[in-house]
């Protein structure tokens, strides 16, 4: 929940701050609106998947993901 909160609030506060300073045009807001829907959909799907799985399954998937990322990092 903390990661979700930070990853949602930080971009929004950054955009609001930049808009207040005049650093963002209308195209940026249009792009933001287009990206917001898939982002919110991903959060919703992730929440649904997480609530239906067990903690043990989540840990296994997370550890395998970290393992694969580590392998790619070593290979590159």
């Amino acid at each position: 929940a903390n990661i979700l909160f930070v990853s949602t609030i930080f971009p929004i506060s950054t955009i609001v701050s930049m808009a207040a300073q005049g650093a963002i045009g209308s195209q940026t807001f249009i792009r933001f609106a287009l990206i917001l829907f898939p982002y919110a959909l991903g959060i919703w799907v992730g929440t649904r998947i997480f609530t239906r799985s067990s903690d043990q399954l989540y840990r296994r998937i997370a550890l395998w993901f970290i393992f694969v990322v580590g392998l790619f990092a070593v290979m590159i």
Side-chain angles (χ1 to χ4, degrees):
N2 290 337
I3 293 171
L4 177 63
F5 179 77
V6 170
S7 63
T8 302
I9 296 301
F10 181 72
I12 292 171
S13 63
T14 301
I15 289 173
V16 169
S17 173
M18 291 176 73
Q21 296 175 2
I24 296 178
S26 61
Q27 276 189 336
T28 305
F29 282 111
I30 293 169
R31 290 179 186 152
F32 172 73
L34 291 173
I35 292 171
L36 184 63
F37 178 71
Y39 177 72
L41 182 64
I43 291 172
W44 182 78
V45 169
T47 302
R48 298 288 177 230
I49 291 172
F50 183 74
T51 56
R52 293 182 183 179
S53 67
S54 66
D55 290 343
Q56 186 178 12
L57 177 64
Y58 178 77
R59 283 189 200 109
R60 285 184 184 175
I61 292 172
L63 288 173
W64 275 107
F65 180 74
I66 292 169
F67 177 72
V68 170
V69 169
L71 281 178
F72 281 125
V74 169
M75 296 165 90
I76 295 178

